[in-house]
Amino acid sequence: RDTLEEDALIEKFRFEFYETVAKSGRSFIITHCYSHGYVSLTGLSDPEYLKTLEKRLLKAGTKVLFVHLKADEEVLLQRVSNESRKEHKKLTKVSIMRNLLKTKDFITSAPVKNNLMIDNTQLSPAKAADVIIKELSKN
């Protein structure tokens, strides 16, 4: 995204889309690469984005569980070049990931309620999913 207008439209679309799905009674999963210090061109910070999303989804009548996946830096650098990331058009360059880890705060968790932190350094994706499912079944 390169312009204020694009960021504003994307933010508006996301909030409205997620609210609409929540009001429909359907369960859904949203993925988001949270960076504590990120601020969009509209001035909306990542912490404020997630707090607003949480508030709007709760108002729409849905349960909300945030999940913060963390892993050791060396593991993240190994994982970034996995083939599976290509098919989902995710970052695959180790050099870019190394720079992002130096310049962005991916460690600090979002300031939201009901936030599950999972250190998945030693967990397979299936095991991490099991932890999330177990937590969801409590609610």
Side-chain angles (χ1 to χ4, degrees), residues 34-63:
Y34 178 79
S35 176
H36 191 69
Y38 175 78
V39 179
S40 79
L41 294 175
T42 67
L44 183 65
S45 69
D46 249 9
E48 205 51 48
Y49 169 72
L50 290 184
K51 284 193 281 187
T52 302
L53 181 61
E54 175 185 46
K55 181 180 175 183
R56 291 175 79 156
L57 290 177
L58 289 171
K59 187 177 178 183
T62 193
K63 295 178 187 174

PDB file of all heavy atoms in Angstrom, residues 34-63:
ATOM      1  N   TYR A  34       1.265  -8.679  13.493  1.00  0.00           N
ATOM      2  CA  TYR A  34       1.249  -7.551  14.419  1.00  0.00           C
ATOM      3  C   TYR A  34       2.662  -7.044  14.676  1.00  0.00           C
ATOM      4  O   TYR A  34       3.559  -7.805  15.020  1.00  0.00           O
ATOM      5  CB  TYR A  34       0.605  -7.988  15.739  1.00  0.00           C
ATOM      6  CG  TYR A  34       0.591  -6.914  16.791  1.00  0.00           C
ATOM      7  CD1 TYR A  34      -0.357  -5.908  16.762  1.00  0.00           C
ATOM      8  CD2 TYR A  34       1.529  -6.904  17.822  1.00  0.00           C
ATOM      9  CE1 TYR A  34      -0.381  -4.914  17.731  1.00  0.00           C
ATOM     10  CE2 TYR A  34       1.511  -5.924  18.795  1.00  0.00           C
ATOM     11  CZ  TYR A  34       0.561  -4.933  18.740  1.00  0.00           C
ATOM     12  OH  TYR A  34       0.541  -3.950  19.700  1.00  0.00           O
ATOM     13  N   SER A  35       2.831  -5.746  14.511  1.00  0.00           N
ATOM     14  CA  SER A  35       4.095  -5.089  14.865  1.00  0.00           C
ATOM     15  C   SER A  35       3.741  -3.925  15.775  1.00  0.00           C
ATOM     16  O   SER A  35       3.055  -2.986  15.360  1.00  0.00           O
ATOM     17  CB  SER A  35       4.823  -4.602  13.616  1.00  0.00           C
ATOM     18  OG  SER A  35       5.988  -3.902  13.968  1.00  0.00           O
ATOM     19  N   HIS A  36       4.199  -3.987  17.009  1.00  0.00           N
ATOM     20  CA  HIS A  36       3.771  -3.050  18.035  1.00  0.00           C
ATOM     21  C   HIS A  36       3.960  -1.583  17.645  1.00  0.00           C
ATOM     22  O   HIS A  36       3.148  -0.741  17.985  1.00  0.00           O
ATOM     23  CB  HIS A  36       4.482  -3.351  19.352  1.00  0.00           C
ATOM     24  CG  HIS A  36       3.913  -2.615  20.514  1.00  0.00           C
ATOM     25  ND1 HIS A  36       2.657  -2.895  21.020  1.00  0.00           N
ATOM     26  CD2 HIS A  36       4.397  -1.604  21.252  1.00  0.00           C
ATOM     27  CE1 HIS A  36       2.407  -2.088  22.032  1.00  0.00           C
ATOM     28  NE2 HIS A  36       3.440  -1.295  22.199  1.00  0.00           N
ATOM     29  N   GLY A  37       4.983  -1.265  16.917  1.00  0.00           N
ATOM     30  CA  GLY A  37       5.248   0.129  16.569  1.00  0.00           C
ATOM     31  C   GLY A  37       4.722   0.567  15.215  1.00  0.00           C
ATOM     32  O   GLY A  37       4.913   1.716  14.816  1.00  0.00           O
ATOM     33  N   TYR A  38       4.044  -0.328  14.492  1.00  0.00           N
ATOM     34  CA  TYR A  38       3.575   0.022  13.148  1.00  0.00           C
ATOM     35  C   TYR A  38       2.447   1.047  13.209  1.00  0.00           C
ATOM     36  O   TYR A  38       1.529   0.941  14.020  1.00  0.00           O
ATOM     37  CB  TYR A  38       3.086  -1.226  12.396  1.00  0.00           C
ATOM     38  CG  TYR A  38       2.485  -0.893  11.056  1.00  0.00           C
ATOM     39  CD1 TYR A  38       3.293  -0.603   9.970  1.00  0.00           C
ATOM     40  CD2 TYR A  38       1.110  -0.823  10.894  1.00  0.00           C
ATOM     41  CE1 TYR A  38       2.746  -0.262   8.744  1.00  0.00           C
ATOM     42  CE2 TYR A  38       0.549  -0.487   9.672  1.00  0.00           C
ATOM     43  CZ  TYR A  38       1.376  -0.201   8.599  1.00  0.00           C
ATOM     44  OH  TYR A  38       0.832   0.144   7.392  1.00  0.00           O
ATOM     45  N   VAL A  39       2.506   2.023  12.309  1.00  0.00           N
ATOM     46  CA  VAL A  39       1.443   3.021  12.150  1.00  0.00           C
ATOM     47  C   VAL A  39       1.161   3.151  10.658  1.00  0.00           C
ATOM     48  O   VAL A  39       2.068   3.382   9.857  1.00  0.00           O
ATOM     49  CB  VAL A  39       1.849   4.388  12.737  1.00  0.00           C
ATOM     50  CG1 VAL A  39       0.742   5.408  12.528  1.00  0.00           C
ATOM     51  CG2 VAL A  39       2.204   4.267  14.215  1.00  0.00           C
ATOM     52  N   SER A  40      -0.108   2.998  10.265  1.00  0.00           N
ATOM     53  CA  SER A  40      -0.476   3.120   8.856  1.00  0.00           C
ATOM     54  C   SER A  40      -0.439   4.579   8.430  1.00  0.00           C
ATOM     55  O   SER A  40      -0.321   5.482   9.270  1.00  0.00           O
ATOM     56  CB  SER A  40      -1.875   2.538   8.605  1.00  0.00           C
ATOM     57  OG  SER A  40      -2.874   3.447   9.008  1.00  0.00           O
ATOM     58  N   LEU A  41      -0.584   4.821   7.168  1.00  0.00           N
ATOM     59  CA  LEU A  41      -0.586   6.191   6.651  1.00  0.00           C
ATOM     60  C   LEU A  41      -1.760   7.003   7.177  1.00  0.00           C
ATOM     61  O   LEU A  41      -1.721   8.228   7.194  1.00  0.00           O
ATOM     62  CB  LEU A  41      -0.601   6.178   5.117  1.00  0.00           C
ATOM     63  CG  LEU A  41       0.658   5.613   4.460  1.00  0.00           C
ATOM     64  CD1 LEU A  41       0.475   5.533   2.940  1.00  0.00           C
ATOM     65  CD2 LEU A  41       1.892   6.420   4.810  1.00  0.00           C
ATOM     66  N   THR A  42      -2.808   6.313   7.656  1.00  0.00           N
ATOM     67  CA  THR A  42      -3.962   7.024   8.229  1.00  0.00           C
ATOM     68  C   THR A  42      -3.691   7.473   9.663  1.00  0.00           C
ATOM     69  O   THR A  42      -4.493   8.208  10.240  1.00  0.00           O
ATOM     70  CB  THR A  42      -5.217   6.128   8.249  1.00  0.00           C
ATOM     71  OG1 THR A  42      -4.995   5.053   9.162  1.00  0.00           O
ATOM     72  CG2 THR A  42      -5.568   5.613   6.870  1.00  0.00           C
ATOM     73  N   GLY A  43      -2.608   6.969  10.243  1.00  0.00           N
ATOM     74  CA  GLY A  43      -2.288   7.277  11.630  1.00  0.00           C
ATOM     75  C   GLY A  43      -2.757   6.203  12.601  1.00  0.00           C
ATOM     76  O   GLY A  43      -2.556   6.314  13.805  1.00  0.00           O
ATOM     77  N   LEU A  44      -3.384   5.151  12.085  1.00  0.00           N
ATOM     78  CA  LEU A  44      -3.871   4.061  12.927  1.00  0.00           C
ATOM     79  C   LEU A  44      -2.708   3.131  13.258  1.00  0.00           C
ATOM     80  O   LEU A  44      -2.116   2.529  12.362  1.00  0.00           O
ATOM     81  CB  LEU A  44      -4.986   3.290  12.218  1.00  0.00           C
ATOM     82  CG  LEU A  44      -5.656   2.171  13.002  1.00  0.00           C
ATOM     83  CD1 LEU A  44      -6.403   2.718  14.214  1.00  0.00           C
ATOM     84  CD2 LEU A  44      -6.605   1.392  12.101  1.00  0.00           C
ATOM     85  N   SER A  45      -2.389   3.008  14.550  1.00  0.00           N
ATOM     86  CA  SER A  45      -1.314   2.114  14.974  1.00  0.00           C
ATOM     87  C   SER A  45      -1.834   0.685  15.061  1.00  0.00           C
ATOM     88  O   SER A  45      -3.042   0.459  15.177  1.00  0.00           O
ATOM     89  CB  SER A  45      -0.763   2.554  16.334  1.00  0.00           C
ATOM     90  OG  SER A  45      -1.726   2.319  17.347  1.00  0.00           O
ATOM     91  N   ASP A  46      -0.922  -0.269  15.026  1.00  0.00           N
ATOM     92  CA  ASP A  46      -1.339  -1.664  15.172  1.00  0.00           C
ATOM     93  C   ASP A  46      -2.033  -1.916  16.510  1.00  0.00           C
ATOM     94  O   ASP A  46      -3.059  -2.595  16.534  1.00  0.00           O
ATOM     95  CB  ASP A  46      -0.142  -2.608  14.990  1.00  0.00           C
ATOM     96  CG  ASP A  46      -0.240  -3.430  13.716  1.00  0.00           C
ATOM     97  OD1 ASP A  46      -1.130  -3.169  12.893  1.00  0.00           O
ATOM     98  OD2 ASP A  46       0.593  -4.345  13.546  1.00  0.00           O
ATOM     99  N   PRO A  47      -1.507  -1.388  17.643  1.00  0.00           N
ATOM    100  CA  PRO A  47      -2.246  -1.605  18.896  1.00  0.00           C
ATOM    101  C   PRO A  47      -3.681  -1.055  18.826  1.00  0.00           C
ATOM    102  O   PRO A  47      -4.626  -1.710  19.258  1.00  0.00           O
ATOM    103  CB  PRO A  47      -1.416  -0.851  19.938  1.00  0.00           C
ATOM    104  CG  PRO A  47      -0.039  -0.836  19.384  1.00  0.00           C
ATOM    105  CD  PRO A  47      -0.219  -0.727  17.897  1.00  0.00           C
ATOM    106  N   GLU A  48      -3.839   0.132  18.258  1.00  0.00           N
ATOM    107  CA  GLU A  48      -5.172   0.739  18.162  1.00  0.00           C
ATOM    108  C   GLU A  48      -6.053  -0.034  17.176  1.00  0.00           C
ATOM    109  O   GLU A  48      -7.260  -0.188  17.402  1.00  0.00           O
ATOM    110  CB  GLU A  48      -5.037   2.204  17.739  1.00  0.00           C
ATOM    111  CG  GLU A  48      -6.182   3.076  18.157  1.00  0.00           C
ATOM    112  CD  GLU A  48      -6.560   2.976  19.632  1.00  0.00           C
ATOM    113  OE1 GLU A  48      -5.683   3.035  20.511  1.00  0.00           O
ATOM    114  OE2 GLU A  48      -7.763   2.826  19.912  1.00  0.00           O
ATOM    115  N   TYR A  49      -5.475  -0.538  16.104  1.00  0.00           N
ATOM    116  CA  TYR A  49      -6.225  -1.335  15.130  1.00  0.00           C
ATOM    117  C   TYR A  49      -6.839  -2.558  15.821  1.00  0.00           C
ATOM    118  O   TYR A  49      -8.028  -2.842  15.676  1.00  0.00           O
ATOM    119  CB  TYR A  49      -5.312  -1.770  13.974  1.00  0.00           C
ATOM    120  CG  TYR A  49      -5.929  -2.804  13.068  1.00  0.00           C
ATOM    121  CD1 TYR A  49      -6.954  -2.471  12.182  1.00  0.00           C
ATOM    122  CD2 TYR A  49      -5.517  -4.133  13.113  1.00  0.00           C
ATOM    123  CE1 TYR A  49      -7.537  -3.424  11.365  1.00  0.00           C
ATOM    124  CE2 TYR A  49      -6.093  -5.091  12.296  1.00  0.00           C
ATOM    125  CZ  TYR A  49      -7.098  -4.739  11.424  1.00  0.00           C
ATOM    126  OH  TYR A  49      -7.673  -5.694  10.623  1.00  0.00           O
ATOM    127  N   LEU A  50      -6.008  -3.286  16.588  1.00  0.00           N
ATOM    128  CA  LEU A  50      -6.523  -4.497  17.219  1.00  0.00           C
ATOM    129  C   LEU A  50      -7.493  -4.195  18.349  1.00  0.00           C
ATOM    130  O   LEU A  50      -8.468  -4.922  18.544  1.00  0.00           O
ATOM    131  CB  LEU A  50      -5.368  -5.375  17.695  1.00  0.00           C
ATOM    132  CG  LEU A  50      -4.576  -6.032  16.562  1.00  0.00           C
ATOM    133  CD1 LEU A  50      -3.516  -6.968  17.122  1.00  0.00           C
ATOM    134  CD2 LEU A  50      -5.464  -6.779  15.581  1.00  0.00           C
ATOM    135  N   LYS A  51      -7.267  -3.124  19.096  1.00  0.00           N
ATOM    136  CA  LYS A  51      -8.233  -2.746  20.140  1.00  0.00           C
ATOM    137  C   LYS A  51      -9.571  -2.370  19.511  1.00  0.00           C
ATOM    138  O   LYS A  51     -10.629  -2.737  20.018  1.00  0.00           O
ATOM    139  CB  LYS A  51      -7.693  -1.587  20.979  1.00  0.00           C
ATOM    140  CG  LYS A  51      -6.618  -2.015  21.969  1.00  0.00           C
ATOM    141  CD  LYS A  51      -6.320  -0.954  22.996  1.00  0.00           C
ATOM    142  CE  LYS A  51      -5.435   0.131  22.456  1.00  0.00           C
ATOM    143  NZ  LYS A  51      -4.976   1.098  23.471  1.00  0.00           N
ATOM    144  N   THR A  52      -9.531  -1.650  18.395  1.00  0.00           N
ATOM    145  CA  THR A  52     -10.762  -1.271  17.688  1.00  0.00           C
ATOM    146  C   THR A  52     -11.452  -2.501  17.119  1.00  0.00           C
ATOM    147  O   THR A  52     -12.675  -2.646  17.221  1.00  0.00           O
ATOM    148  CB  THR A  52     -10.448  -0.253  16.572  1.00  0.00           C
ATOM    149  OG1 THR A  52      -9.820   0.891  17.151  1.00  0.00           O
ATOM    150  CG2 THR A  52     -11.710   0.155  15.823  1.00  0.00           C
ATOM    151  N   LEU A  53     -10.680  -3.391  16.528  1.00  0.00           N
ATOM    152  CA  LEU A  53     -11.243  -4.628  15.983  1.00  0.00           C
ATOM    153  C   LEU A  53     -11.911  -5.438  17.088  1.00  0.00           C
ATOM    154  O   LEU A  53     -13.047  -5.903  16.928  1.00  0.00           O
ATOM    155  CB  LEU A  53     -10.144  -5.451  15.303  1.00  0.00           C
ATOM    156  CG  LEU A  53     -10.577  -6.766  14.670  1.00  0.00           C
ATOM    157  CD1 LEU A  53     -11.605  -6.522  13.575  1.00  0.00           C
ATOM    158  CD2 LEU A  53      -9.364  -7.503  14.128  1.00  0.00           C
ATOM    159  N   GLU A  54     -11.232  -5.582  18.207  1.00  0.00           N
ATOM    160  CA  GLU A  54     -11.790  -6.312  19.342  1.00  0.00           C
ATOM    161  C   GLU A  54     -13.119  -5.696  19.783  1.00  0.00           C
ATOM    162  O   GLU A  54     -14.120  -6.405  19.944  1.00  0.00           O
ATOM    163  CB  GLU A  54     -10.781  -6.279  20.496  1.00  0.00           C
ATOM    164  CG  GLU A  54     -11.280  -6.899  21.783  1.00  0.00           C
ATOM    165  CD  GLU A  54     -10.272  -6.719  22.905  1.00  0.00           C
ATOM    166  OE1 GLU A  54      -9.739  -5.607  23.088  1.00  0.00           O
ATOM    167  OE2 GLU A  54     -10.038  -7.715  23.611  1.00  0.00           O
ATOM    168  N   LYS A  55     -13.133  -4.394  19.957  1.00  0.00           N
ATOM    169  CA  LYS A  55     -14.341  -3.691  20.404  1.00  0.00           C
ATOM    170  C   LYS A  55     -15.493  -3.893  19.422  1.00  0.00           C
ATOM    171  O   LYS A  55     -16.620  -4.197  19.816  1.00  0.00           O
ATOM    172  CB  LYS A  55     -14.028  -2.199  20.558  1.00  0.00           C
ATOM    173  CG  LYS A  55     -15.175  -1.357  21.034  1.00  0.00           C
ATOM    174  CD  LYS A  55     -14.750   0.103  21.138  1.00  0.00           C
ATOM    175  CE  LYS A  55     -15.910   0.994  21.508  1.00  0.00           C
ATOM    176  NZ  LYS A  55     -15.521   2.409  21.547  1.00  0.00           N
ATOM    177  N   ARG A  56     -15.210  -3.755  18.135  1.00  0.00           N
ATOM    178  CA  ARG A  56     -16.267  -3.873  17.132  1.00  0.00           C
ATOM    179  C   ARG A  56     -16.780  -5.305  17.012  1.00  0.00           C
ATOM    180  O   ARG A  56     -17.984  -5.524  16.823  1.00  0.00           O
ATOM    181  CB  ARG A  56     -15.762  -3.330  15.796  1.00  0.00           C
ATOM    182  CG  ARG A  56     -15.565  -1.808  15.857  1.00  0.00           C
ATOM    183  CD  ARG A  56     -14.956  -1.243  14.615  1.00  0.00           C
ATOM    184  NE  ARG A  56     -15.965  -1.110  13.566  1.00  0.00           N
ATOM    185  CZ  ARG A  56     -15.864  -0.263  12.558  1.00  0.00           C
ATOM    186  NH1 ARG A  56     -14.820   0.551  12.470  1.00  0.00           N
ATOM    187  NH2 ARG A  56     -16.800  -0.219  11.640  1.00  0.00           N
ATOM    188  N   LEU A  57     -15.890  -6.284  17.129  1.00  0.00           N
ATOM    189  CA  LEU A  57     -16.329  -7.679  17.039  1.00  0.00           C
ATOM    190  C   LEU A  57     -17.146  -8.083  18.260  1.00  0.00           C
ATOM    191  O   LEU A  57     -18.154  -8.783  18.133  1.00  0.00           O
ATOM    192  CB  LEU A  57     -15.129  -8.607  16.861  1.00  0.00           C
ATOM    193  CG  LEU A  57     -14.423  -8.522  15.513  1.00  0.00           C
ATOM    194  CD1 LEU A  57     -13.200  -9.422  15.483  1.00  0.00           C
ATOM    195  CD2 LEU A  57     -15.365  -8.848  14.370  1.00  0.00           C
ATOM    196  N   LEU A  58     -16.723  -7.648  19.437  1.00  0.00           N
ATOM    197  CA  LEU A  58     -17.502  -7.942  20.639  1.00  0.00           C
ATOM    198  C   LEU A  58     -18.876  -7.293  20.557  1.00  0.00           C
ATOM    199  O   LEU A  58     -19.882  -7.916  20.908  1.00  0.00           O
ATOM    200  CB  LEU A  58     -16.750  -7.481  21.893  1.00  0.00           C
ATOM    201  CG  LEU A  58     -15.506  -8.305  22.250  1.00  0.00           C
ATOM    202  CD1 LEU A  58     -14.726  -7.638  23.366  1.00  0.00           C
ATOM    203  CD2 LEU A  58     -15.889  -9.742  22.617  1.00  0.00           C
ATOM    204  N   LYS A  59     -18.934  -6.061  20.077  1.00  0.00           N
ATOM    205  CA  LYS A  59     -20.217  -5.368  19.906  1.00  0.00           C
ATOM    206  C   LYS A  59     -21.110  -6.097  18.904  1.00  0.00           C
ATOM    207  O   LYS A  59     -22.334  -6.104  19.036  1.00  0.00           O
ATOM    208  CB  LYS A  59     -19.979  -3.926  19.467  1.00  0.00           C
ATOM    209  CG  LYS A  59     -21.232  -3.090  19.428  1.00  0.00           C
ATOM    210  CD  LYS A  59     -20.934  -1.657  19.064  1.00  0.00           C
ATOM    211  CE  LYS A  59     -22.225  -0.855  18.996  1.00  0.00           C
ATOM    212  NZ  LYS A  59     -21.992   0.516  18.578  1.00  0.00           N
ATOM    213  N   ALA A  60     -20.477  -6.737  17.904  1.00  0.00           N
ATOM    214  CA  ALA A  60     -21.230  -7.486  16.892  1.00  0.00           C
ATOM    215  C   ALA A  60     -21.715  -8.832  17.428  1.00  0.00           C
ATOM    216  O   ALA A  60     -22.431  -9.549  16.730  1.00  0.00           O
ATOM    217  CB  ALA A  60     -20.374  -7.691  15.644  1.00  0.00           C
ATOM    218  N   GLY A  61     -21.294  -9.170  18.654  1.00  0.00           N
ATOM    219  CA  GLY A  61     -21.822 -10.377  19.288  1.00  0.00           C
ATOM    220  C   GLY A  61     -21.002 -11.632  19.115  1.00  0.00           C
ATOM    221  O   GLY A  61     -21.524 -12.733  19.267  1.00  0.00           O
ATOM    222  N   THR A  62     -19.726 -11.503  18.823  1.00  0.00           N
ATOM    223  CA  THR A  62     -18.903 -12.695  18.653  1.00  0.00           C
ATOM    224  C   THR A  62     -17.857 -12.788  19.752  1.00  0.00           C
ATOM    225  O   THR A  62     -17.516 -11.804  20.388  1.00  0.00           O
ATOM    226  CB  THR A  62     -18.224 -12.697  17.260  1.00  0.00           C
ATOM    227  OG1 THR A  62     -17.683 -13.979  17.007  1.00  0.00           O
ATOM    228  CG2 THR A  62     -17.141 -11.657  17.152  1.00  0.00           C
ATOM    229  N   LYS A  63     -17.362 -13.985  19.975  1.00  0.00           N
ATOM    230  CA  LYS A  63     -16.246 -14.198  20.882  1.00  0.00           C
ATOM    231  C   LYS A  63     -14.952 -13.888  20.132  1.00  0.00           C
ATOM    232  O   LYS A  63     -14.862 -14.120  18.923  1.00  0.00           O
ATOM    233  CB  LYS A  63     -16.199 -15.643  21.368  1.00  0.00           C
ATOM    234  CG  LYS A  63     -17.378 -16.037  22.220  1.00  0.00           C
ATOM    235  CD  LYS A  63     -17.266 -17.487  22.611  1.00  0.00           C
ATOM    236  CE  LYS A  63     -18.506 -17.956  23.322  1.00  0.00           C
ATOM    237  NZ  LYS A  63     -18.457 -19.391  23.587  1.00  0.00           N
TER     238      LYS A  63
END
